[in-house]
Structures are given as structure tokens and as C-alpha cells.
Amino acid sequence: MNSYPILIIAQKEVLTHLKNYWVVLVACLILIMNIAITGILGTFFSTELDPRAILLSLIHLHMYIIPLVALILSCDSILKERELGTLELFYAYPLQSYALVMGKWLGHNIILFMVIVIGLLPISYHLYQLEVLLTHIIGFILLIFALGAVFNSLGLLLSMLVKERALAMLVSIIVWLFFVFLFDLGFVTITIMTDGKISPQLLGGLLLLDPVEAFRISAIMYLLPVDAVEIFSLNNGMLQLSTSIVATLLWIFAPLAYLCYKSNNHG
């Protein structure tokens, strides 16, 4: 596989988005919210900040905001090329058709990683001062990035399947609402309707169908292994760190593989 066209397209995507002020604004917004969480929690702890409370708050903040940022970044990417007429022009070149998809995916992920690092860097130093392990901080950043990569793949898939930009934005918001809010409501409804008689294996499998839940499970089990068992009843059945990471990787690469297939068939 010739990676040069992929890198060129990724570079173009990065430079294009760096010129947009919204990328900087989003990074600053995440940074402000991260700092606000630490400051707000600090008002409730008169003696010493509890790093567990901060980590839980950061997990829940990023499981809401990062999917939305990734979808906004990618949901009209291929659609925009189609509207400008450059998509068919690209297919006319003697290049692998999936290079466009892979290049855009790589470029968007670079932007996402930059946004995440800028937003978390000062808080990471604060967490390190609170004796959170450096490996845990790095792992947390990578888990957040993986969540963003999932919704980057889903956004590109929407951009390939939907023919109008306004509709792509609408569907993106619906996808975000479903995975972040509605899935939880449906899961709780199923649990109540069955009076909790569903097997733990099935319940765990259902949770991993949601990439946001897979991120939350992975982050809690990695950062707070004791609380994961004693408070959240994780680390049993399907709800293992390894299975949640595998589920996340499937959510990243399954849409990407389909996109490459569709692209090769000029879908």
C-alpha cells in the first residue's frame, strides 16, 4: 500500500482545520471545562482533593463532549468533496480509492488528538501532583482519543452515506444523542421490564454495543480498578477491561473497513 497519498491528504486536512478558529475554540472550551471541574470539586473538599472524584468527573465530561466534537469534525468531510466536485476528480487519478478515506480519517484523528492534549495537559499535571500515576494519565488520554476515533469513523460513514450536508448534521446529532443518552435509557428500561432477570453476560454484551459505554467501562476499570469492582460491579462476565477495549477497536475499524470497501466501489 502506497501511504504517500494518504499522508498528503491527512496533511491537507490538518492544515485546513487548523485555519478554522473553531478547532482552537473547542480545545480552549475543553480546557476551561476541565479546569472548572477541578475548581468546583476543590470547593467541596476543604482539606484534600480526592483524585477519584476528579477522574470520574473527567470521564463523564469527555464521554459527552468528545463524540460530538468528532462527529462535527467528520460528518460532512466526504460529502463536501462530493458537493465541490473533487470526489469524482480524485477517483479519476490512478490512486487507491481508499486513500481519500484513510487520509481524511488520519487527518481528523490528528486534529482530535491535538484538541484532547491541549484540553487535558494542565489537568494532567494537576492529577500527577495528586499522585495519579503517569501511566494512568497517558492511558486515560489514549482512551479518550480512541473514543474520538470511533465517532470520527462513524462521522465519515455518515458523510459517505448521506447526500445532503444539513441532513448529515441532523443525523450526527441523532447518533450522538442515541449513544450518549438514549442508549442508557433503553438499557435501564430493559432491565426494569425484565425485573433484572437478564443474565450478566447478556447485560454486559448489551452495554458494549454502545462505544460510549465501552469507553466508560474501560476508563473506570483502568483508572479506578478498586472502585470498578466494589462500587460499579465491573470486572465480571463480559465487563472486562480487555473486552471493552476490543469492542472499542471494533467500533473504530468496522466502519472504516466498510468505508474503504465502498470507496473502492466508488460508493
Side-chain angles (χ1 to χ4, degrees):
M1 180 178 71
N2 186 5
S3 61
Y4 182 72
I6 297 175
L7 296 177
I8 291 297
I9 294 169
Q11 182 185 41
K12 175 182 174 296
E13 288 293 315
V14 171
L15 294 177
T16 299
H17 284 93
L18 285 179
K19 293 177 183 177
N20 297 333
Y21 289 110
W22 81 268
V23 173
V24 178
L25 290 175
V26 167
C28 292
L29 178 63
I30 294 175
L31 174 60
I32 290 169
M33 288 190 290
N34 287 332
I35 294 173
I37 283 179
T38 306
I40 291 170
L41 286 172
T43 63
F44 289 100
F45 294 95
S46 57
T47 56
E48 185 178 352
L49 286 174
D50 184 356
R52 297 183 306 165
I54 295 176
L55 288 171
L56 279 174
S57 299
L58 290 173
I59 289 170
H60 287 89
L61 170 65
H62 289 89
M63 66 181 274
Y64 294 137
I65 194 169
I66 293 300
L68 184 60
V69 172
L71 285 171
I72 292 173
L73 184 66
S74 59
C75 71
D76 68 341
S77 184
I78 296 175
L79 182 59
K80 181 169 56 180
E81 302 290 346
R82 183 183 289 115
E83 290 179 350
L84 293 173
T86 54
L87 187 61
E88 292 303 322
L89 180 63
F90 178 85
Y91 287 145
Y93 284 99
L95 299 171
Q96 295 289 344
S97 299
Y98 57 76
L100 179 66
V101 171
M102 293 297 298
K104 285 184 172 291
W105 183 81
L106 178 60
H108 294 162
N109 279 329
I110 292 172
I111 290 293
L112 274 173
F113 189 74
M114 292 170 62
V115 168
I116 292 167
V117 170
I118 292 171
L120 277 172
L121 199 58
I123 299 301
S124 298
Y125 177 72
H126 184 66
L127 290 173
Y128 184 73
Q129 287 185 318
L130 292 174
E131 298 183 352
V132 177
L133 295 176
L134 182 60
T135 53
H136 283 180
I137 295 172
I138 295 173
F140 183 42
I141 292 174
L142 292 177
L143 286 173
I144 295 173
F145 171 68
L147 177 64
V150 168
F151 284 87
N152 180 22
S153 296
L154 292 176
L156 282 173
L157 181 60
L158 288 176
S159 185
M160 176 73 80
L161 298 178
V162 178
K163 304 302 180 183
E164 297 180 7
R165 189 175 298 187
L167 182 59
M169 293 295 294
L170 176 61
V171 175
S172 296
I173 293 173
I174 293 172
V175 168
W176 177 74
L177 287 172
F178 174 77
F179 284 123
V180 172
F181 296 106
L182 300 181
F183 188 93
D184 269 353
L185 292 176
F187 182 80
V188 172
T189 301
I190 292 173
T191 305
I192 293 173
M193 289 179 64
T194 57
D195 198 24
K197 295 179 180 178
I198 300 181
S199 69
Q201 292 283 351
L202 180 57
L203 284 176
L206 288 174
L207 277 178
L208 295 179
L209 292 177
D210 183 353
V212 175
E213 288 297 334
F215 161 76
R216 175 157 53 182
I217 292 167
S218 299
I220 291 175
M221 293 190 66
Y222 182 69
L223 297 172
L224 306 165
V226 176
D227 290 350
V229 176
E230 295 180 356
I231 299 177
F232 298 98
S233 300
L234 299 175
N235 201 27
N236 65 81
M238 291 289 292
L239 300 181
Q240 306 280 343
L241 179 60
S242 57
T243 54
S244 60
I245 291 176
V246 169
T248 300
L249 292 175
L250 287 174
W251 273 108
I252 293 173
F253 292 110
L256 190 62
Y258 179 75
L259 274 167
C260 291
Y261 169 78
K262 288 285 288 183
S263 180
N264 277 337
N265 290 277
H266 294 185

